[in-house]
Amino acid sequence: MTYSIFHSGRSRRNGTFHNFESGIEEQIEALRDELAELTRLVGKSSRHQGDKMRSQASAGYEELLSRSEDLLRELQHGYERGATEMRETVRKHPLATIGAAAAFGLAIAFLARR
């Protein structure tokens, strides 16, 4: 008789434990599904953000390239104007140019001696 009392008590406990275990397994499975969905959403969002950033970077690169080309053209024109003005000045004032070059040479020699 004692066997049946313990046996019936065990089966009730095992049944409750089994139900508890089933509930936990169902919750774990639900969490796995939610985690998989979250991973999918994060991946989709990351791809979208990556594409958006790539597009912005490409637009910024094109703008930077355009600005640098404009700046290079301006520098070339400035150099050409300066070179033209220098040649005209040398042609108009050859003696003053030779005197300025000599003074510059003397200044460099004086500084180099120190």
Side-chain angles (χ1 to χ4, degrees), residues 2 5 22 35 37 46 50 61 68 71 77 91 96-97 105 108 114:
T2 57
I5 292 173
S22 299
L35 185 58
E37 178 65 19
S46 296
Y61 174 75
S68 65
L71 181 60
H77 290 308
R91 282 186 195 139
T97 303
I108 295 292
R114 285 186 163 202

Side-chain angles (χ1 to χ4, degrees), residues 19-61:
N19 290 341
F20 182 70
E21 189 177 50
S22 299
I24 290 176
E25 287 176 357
E26 289 173 5
Q27 289 177 351
I28 289 173
E29 187 61 34
L31 287 173
R32 282 184 183 151
D33 292 342
E34 289 179 17
L35 185 58
E37 178 65 19
L38 182 62
T39 302
R40 186 186 68 79
L41 289 174
V42 167
K44 184 178 178 182
S45 177
S46 296
R47 279 191 302 277
H48 177 69
Q49 289 296 329
D51 291 343
K52 184 178 176 182
M53 289 174 65
R54 191 176 301 115
S55 173
Q56 288 175 344
S58 177
Y61 174 75

